[in-house]
Amino acid sequence: MASKQTARQTGESIIRRLHDAGHVAMFAGGCVRDQLLGRDPKDYDVVTDATPDRVAELFRRTQKVGAKFGVVLVHVSGMQIEVATFRVDGDYSDGRHPDNVTFGNQIDDARRRDFTINGMFFDVVRQQIIDHVGGRRDLEDGIIRAIGDPDRRFAEDHLRMVRAVRFCARLGFVIEDQTLEAIRRQAHLLRTISPERVREELRMTLESPSRADGWRWICSAGLAAHILPGVPYDAQDQATVATRIAALPDNAGFTVVLAALLASLPPKRAGEVCSKFTSPNYESRGVSWLLTQLPRVRNPDNLDLADIKLLVARAGFVDLCALLRADLAAASLPPDPFEAFQTRANAIPPAEVAPPPFISGDDLVARNVPKGPIYADILTTLYHAQLNDEISDRPAAIARLEELIPRA
Ligand code: ATP
Ligand code: MG
């Protein structure tokens, strides 16, 4: 078997195998949508009328990943494809997952899916789209529409509300009116589901270059005030955030996007919001750091050479520049501070950004300076002077050190 098979070919070979064994099997969901849009699908999912046990019998390497949901991971040619048995979802009591599922037919399976554009199948053998939910027309019209009664669908699984927004942003689609109204009615339920999942959907929505569209949909659907725990965006805040995130570079990462979203909060509070939102530590700290530095770089004339070098040396420097620029745009201010900051930063030769310090703690120990916070004070002062080119070599640094050591 060629190991260079694409995911699509692997999926097709699995479908043919199921078909040859007398089963119905098709591609389903996102990959069918993406195929019709001429986009490269992220992954290929297969649905079938074969039960998980039967799927396990037919393929050599399988793994029951969602036993409760009838999903089997089939490993072929170094790839894994999810094969799911047609099913009907039972009741939802946690606002996120069905309490139980029963196997059903393909129409049941199409109807349990979230949006019409995600509810289609592709029959590989007949080379035919199977559309039980009107997905093809909505795809052509650029519409996100819940399958069935939207209120019921969002009450079952609240995360679908953020998925709607994510697909709008990614595909440049609009949310159909009834679907949008239902989201507005149920937006508050977002607070009741696990923030990890909301964060992940929000990340995918806002890391994309069309993030400002995503944010506008979040606002228009009434989700803004519920999406980040404890941040009540009023209409003005929402508009400012839209301009700010629109002005970030296309490839901006989630840390700087979050900073742009939380820029009206005190930095420490913004970091706490991120932690509550299950951001990893580097992200919460990165957001606080960016928001602490933002007011400083808005007035770069107040920064000396050492201040600038210390900022350039930080991993968050590129994000800080992007945030400064976006923040000025959001405040309708000219980009002058950004340009001044960039020009000064670019003028620093790389070797001079973070040179090794002339003086270390050992030099203080050797001079019998008693241990305490004074070490950090003296070392910081000396390094700052070194970065400012006030001290050009170690002898000069030692002379300055002698002046700084308090005399008993
Ligand atoms: P992506 O391109 O981001 O992977 P996708 O549509 O493939 O988008 P997945 O999360 O991979 O999304 O899910 C695959 C399919 O499973 C969806 O197209 C949809 O049919 C169904 N699905 C996923 N999540 C839900 C949900 N919360 N409720 C109902 N159906 C869902
Ligand atoms: Mg997918």
Side-chain angles (χ1 to χ4, degrees):
M1 193 66 124
S3 61
K4 286 245 159 39
Q5 271 205 70
T6 61
R8 184 177 184 90
Q9 285 165 336
T10 306
E12 285 184 3
S13 70
I14 292 173
I15 289 174
R16 284 181 203 284
R17 174 97 187 81
L18 284 159
H19 190 257
D20 291 347
H23 292 286
V24 177
M26 298 178 284
F27 281 129
C31 62
V32 181
R33 173 200 70 217
D34 289 343
Q35 171 191 337
L36 284 171
L37 288 169
R39 291 171 174 244
D40 210 9
K42 257 201 259 167
D43 37 42
Y44 286 86
D45 297 326
V46 170
V47 276
T48 178
D49 63 356
T51 61
D53 286 339
R54 180 81 177 120
V55 175
E57 255 169 44
L58 287 169
F59 297 93
R60 201 156 3 123
R61 287 193 56 213
T62 61
Q63 202 183 340
K64 288 194 181 161
V65 276
K68 205 175 142 196
F69 304 111
V71 181
V72 176
L73 210 54
V74 176
H75 300 257
V76 183
S77 319
M79 269 180 260
Q80 320 167 358
I81 300 275
E82 275 191 13
V83 178
T85 307
F86 291 137
R87 70 177 201 247
V88 192
D89 290 340
D91 289 339
Y92 285 69
S93 53
D94 68 352
R96 182 64 199 104
H97 306 100
D99 301 335
N100 52 67
V101 307
T102 44
F103 298 132
N105 61 30
Q106 58 173 284
I107 298 184
D108 299 323
D109 193 83
R111 289 194 185 140
R112 69 154 181 96
R113 292 171 185 273
D114 48 4
F115 304 108
T116 57
I117 61 162
N118 291 343
M120 290 177 278
F121 304 129
F122 181 68
D123 180 334
V124 171
V125 180
R126 295 194 181 79
Q127 290 288 300
Q128 235 175 36
I129 299 285
I130 313 281
D131 180 8
H132 299 291
V133 292
R136 193 147 195 187
R137 195 191 50 221
D138 285 341
L139 199 66
E140 278 159 16
D141 295 345
I143 289 176
I144 306 291
R145 183 197 309 270
I147 295 176
D149 171 16
D151 279 296
R152 191 170 66 80
R153 302 313 308 282
F154 296 127
E156 285 172 356
D157 177 355
H158 314 326
L159 193 71
R160 290 177 186 147
M161 299 189 277
V162 207
R163 283 176 59 88
V165 166
R166 170 157 77 85
F167 291 118
C168 273
R170 190 194 312 163
L171 307 173
F173 281 20
V174 299
I175 306 182
E176 175 271 332
D177 285 349
Q178 305 289 316
T179 304
L180 186 60
E181 287 304 322
I183 300 181
R184 287 184 180 139
R185 281 190 285 273
Q186 309 206 36
H188 62 281
L189 293 174
L190 262 198
R191 293 168 185 258
T192 64
I193 56 174
S194 102
E196 278 98 333
R197 295 296 292 121
V198 179
R199 177 181 172 282
E200 193 49 21
E201 289 292 329
L202 191 67
R203 185 185 66 70
M204 287 192 268
T205 310
L206 297 180
E207 267 185 353
S208 104
S210 50
R211 66 178 66 90
D213 286 343
W215 176 253
R216 287 194 196 92
W217 277 110
I218 286 173
C219 297
S220 147
L223 292 167
H226 307 291
I227 216 150
L228 286 160
V231 190
Y233 289 100
D234 65 20
Q236 181 56 49
D237 297 331
Q238 294 181 7
T240 311
V241 165
T243 338
R244 206 186 279 122
I245 64 175
L248 288 173
D250 277 359
N251 64 355
F254 198 40
T255 303
V256 66
V257 173
L258 277 174
L261 236 55
L262 298 170
S264 60
L265 297 181
K268 194 164 161 258
R269 171 98 185 87
E272 287 162 4
V273 168
C274 293
S275 301
K276 246 173 118 182
F277 195 46
T278 69
S279 284
N281 268 340
Y282 76 85
E283 194 171 275
S284 313
R285 282 206 219 103
V287 168
S288 305
W289 182 80
L290 286 169
L291 295 180
T292 306
Q293 304 310 321
L294 182 61
R296 298 180 69 214
V297 294
R298 276 197 201 112
N299 297 300
D301 292 348
N302 295 343
L303 300 176
D304 63 24
L305 180 62
D307 293 327
I308 301 222
K309 286 180 180 172
L310 289 166
L311 290 173
V312 175
R314 292 290 296 244
F317 173 69
V318 173
D319 278 350
L320 182 60
C321 294
L323 182 63
L324 170 61
R325 194 167 153 196
D327 188 65
L328 293 166
S332 306
L333 292 169
D336 304 8
F338 166 76
E339 278 157 18
F341 181 51
Q342 283 280 67
T343 307
R344 289 181 65 195
N346 290 341
I348 302 168
E352 288 176 25
V353 171
F358 292 135
I359 299 295
S360 74
D362 293 345
D363 295 304
L364 277 76
V365 173
R367 282 163 185 76
N368 298 320
V369 179
K371 283 266 161 71
I374 191 167
Y375 271 58
D377 290 348
I378 293 182
L379 293 175
T380 307
T381 305
L382 287 172
Y383 194 53
H384 210 89
Q386 179 183 343
L387 294 177
N388 267 334
D389 296 339
E390 291 159 17
I391 297 172
S392 54
D393 53 22
R394 184 167 155 83
I398 286 177
R400 181 73 72 90
L401 168 63
E402 300 289 358
E403 289 166 26
L404 290 173
I405 294 175
R407 301 281 154 228

